[in-house]
Amino acid sequence: MSAGRPRRIAVIPGDGIGREVIAEAVRVLAKADRQYELGLEFEEGLAGGAAIDAVGHPIPPKTVELCRRSDAILLGACGGPKWDRGPRELRPEQALFTLRKTFGLYANLRPAIVPPVLLAASPLRREIVEGADLLIVRELTGGLYFGAQSRTGEREHAAALDTLPYSAAEVRRVVRKACEIARGRPRRKVTSVDKANVLETSRLWREVATEVAREFSDLTVEHMLVDNCALQLVYNPKQFDVIVTENMFGDILSDEAAGVMGSLGLMPSASLGDRPPGLFEPVHGTAPDIAGKGIANPLAAILTTALLLRYGLGQEAPAAAIEAAVLQALQDGCRTADLAGGRPALGTAAMTDAVLARLH
Ligand code: NAD
Ligand code: IPM
Ligand code: MN
């Protein structure tokens, strides 16, 4: 691949532990680049609170242009108490929404796997989680996050409105994407999650999902209400293969699934549209409670670089090598504080060194 054109990676560290884990993830990507001669070029961009402080806006046009010229975007996380008071358009999180919408990244893949070596880290009993391997496909460019919002009145007369719009086309493309992914997995099952007993958008969601299922007669497609899904994730996570759901439900269920795995610090994500660049980021946020201490778990960000290589650049071999190196480090007993259960733990950089030493 080195003989071809260079591949530009837009690197957006963001805020808090986003900055800490992205620095480590780039070290891993750079080593994979050297070993596999991928021809990667890294270029850093500003977004989130860091951009508000520097230029007064959460996502300067220069950053969007950098992403447009790039083959893939690697992002840490945006946000923090320092910037929590601003109006909607001037909050750090707006950077995420702009990138998701601008690049049409409607499918957000969030895998939750419990490797045997981490069974003890899960808050659930071994027999419940052993063998769990599920993928949440979260719709990412519609619903409450992008519906009209308003605020009127003051004090007791204050009122607020959020709206939850979905079109059939928006539902169809993400359910199709989930079904295509399920085809490549051994169990070939899709659970479409909604609140069709209450919400009109969910009734549309279920109708369209039922239509899409007819195109995929080789898959098992079932429907589940979101409250029951939240329960089933802790009762019996092994029943799930691919879960597809709307934006807000996916946000909540994916943190829950990460908790079932043992830590949010383990869950990577890939946000994909119909063309590059995809956006690759750990599921966790900026973790203000541990930021600046050098103890954040870098594995979600490192596993995110594997998704970037696989889905963003079509490079399976280095992606699998990074995942294998992470697994080997865990098997050798390396743990950050979130997984150590009070025992001595490695910091962010030392955990990354452990992965680098096992990356071949
Ligand atoms: P969070 O994900 O930052 O933290 C939740 C909990 O998980 C905290 O106790 C934190 O210490 C722990 N945690 C998270 N990642 C960890 C890691 N890698 N290693 C060890 N522990 C880890 O969620 P929050 O506290 O609700 O949000 C903090 C800020 O981050 C908010 O401003 C929020 O808007 C933002 N946020 C951004 C993104 C993103 O940019 N994609 C995602 C989620 C939250
Ligand atoms: C996530 C985050 C974001 C979301 C926030 C920070 C806006 O929680 O990526 O999961 O809700 O999409
Ligand atoms: Mn979230």
Side-chain angles (χ1 to χ4, degrees):
M1 183 163 166
S2 60
R5 67 176 180 90
R7 300 288 167 142
R8 183 177 292 110
I9 312 295
V11 178
I12 305 182
D15 308 309
I17 67 161
R19 309 192 69 79
E20 301 168 32
V21 298
I22 287 304
E24 304 302 328
V26 167
R27 286 208 288 146
V28 173
L29 256 188
K31 178 160 184 189
D33 178 30
R34 289 192 299 277
Q35 283 179 334
Y36 289 82
E37 300 184 14
L38 302 171
L40 303 186
E41 280 177 2
F42 300 97
E43 196 171 326
E44 201 166 306
L46 264 180
I52 295 175
D53 287 350
V55 298
H57 192 275
I59 177 116
K62 208 177 146 195
T63 302
V64 178
E65 283 321 306
L66 162 63
C67 294
R68 206 184 294 286
R69 299 187 271 115
S70 298
D71 296 282
I73 307 163
L74 177 66
L75 187 143
C78 299
K82 180 176 175 193
W83 307 280
D84 268 348
R85 264 178 250 286
R88 186 189 195 201
E89 327 71 61
L90 288 182
R91 290 183 56 103
E93 291 83 357
Q94 193 60 37
L96 305 170
F97 307 146
T98 297
L99 292 174
R100 291 168 182 175
K101 202 67 172 179
T102 303
F103 298 107
L105 306 171
Y106 61 85
N108 179 216
L109 281 43
R110 301 186 158 191
I113 305 164
V114 185
V117 62
L118 282 182
L119 278 173
S122 171
L124 301 185
R125 286 199 310 277
R126 168 183 274 267
E127 63 269 27
I128 292 180
V129 281
E130 193 161 25
D133 176 355
L134 63 94
L135 174 72
I136 295 179
V137 179
R138 169 190 178 192
E139 201 292 324
L140 203 60
T141 52
L144 281 166
Y145 283 70
F146 295 94
Q149 297 183 318
S150 66
R151 184 76 184 250
T152 52
E154 299 286 337
R155 286 184 285 276
E156 300 86 273
H157 302 291
L161 178 72
D162 291 289
T163 55
L164 200 176
Y166 267 111
S167 70
E170 286 174 309
V171 179
R172 194 177 309 280
R173 64 183 180 177
V174 73
V175 176
R176 263 199 194 127
K177 182 80 105 189
C179 288
E180 281 157 11
I181 293 168
R183 261 192 179 149
R185 294 167 61 96
R187 289 163 57 212
R188 296 174 157 240
K189 180 176 168 186
V190 175
T191 306
S192 173
V193 173
D194 61 41
K195 188 73 183 170
N197 53 347
V198 178
L199 299 175
E200 201 52 44
T201 44
S202 276
R203 287 190 274 274
L204 174 65
W205 184 284
R206 195 174 281 218
E207 274 168 43
V208 174
T210 304
E211 281 169 25
V212 173
R214 290 196 201 106
E215 302 165 21
F216 293 84
S217 52
D218 52 322
L219 303 179
T220 306
V221 180
E222 60 173 26
H223 305 273
M224 191 179 282
L225 296 173
V226 64
D227 45 353
N228 184 32
C229 182
L231 178 74
Q232 294 302 324
L233 275 172
V234 291
Y235 265 2
N236 181 14
K238 281 186 265 189
Q239 71 185 282
F240 296 112
D241 181 15
V242 175
I243 290 175
V244 61
T245 191
E246 65 96 42
N247 204 342
M248 178 68 94
F249 296 161
D251 179 43
I252 297 167
L253 294 176
S254 56
D255 267 33
E256 186 189 0
V260 165
M261 287 201 299
S263 174
L264 199 47
L266 289 172
M267 191 183 254
S269 94
S271 304
L272 308 173
D274 290 325
R275 60 192 65 81
L279 170 66
F280 301 86
E281 52 175 330
V283 168
H284 64 74
T286 58
D289 53 337
I290 58 166
K293 297 185 178 159
I295 60 170
N297 187 344
L299 295 183
I302 291 172
L303 291 168
T304 293
T305 67
L307 298 188
L308 183 153
L309 290 166
R310 175 174 297 127
Y311 293 111
L313 304 183
Q315 290 289 328
E316 178 57 32
I322 289 171
E323 288 165 345
V326 167
L327 199 57
Q328 192 59 55
L330 290 169
Q331 269 159 6
D332 293 342
C334 305
R335 298 281 187 281
T336 41
D338 53 320
L339 296 173
R343 282 185 294 278
L346 298 179
T348 311
M351 186 70 188
T352 307
D353 289 340
V355 173
L356 285 169
R358 292 162 178 82
L359 178 59
H360 311 295

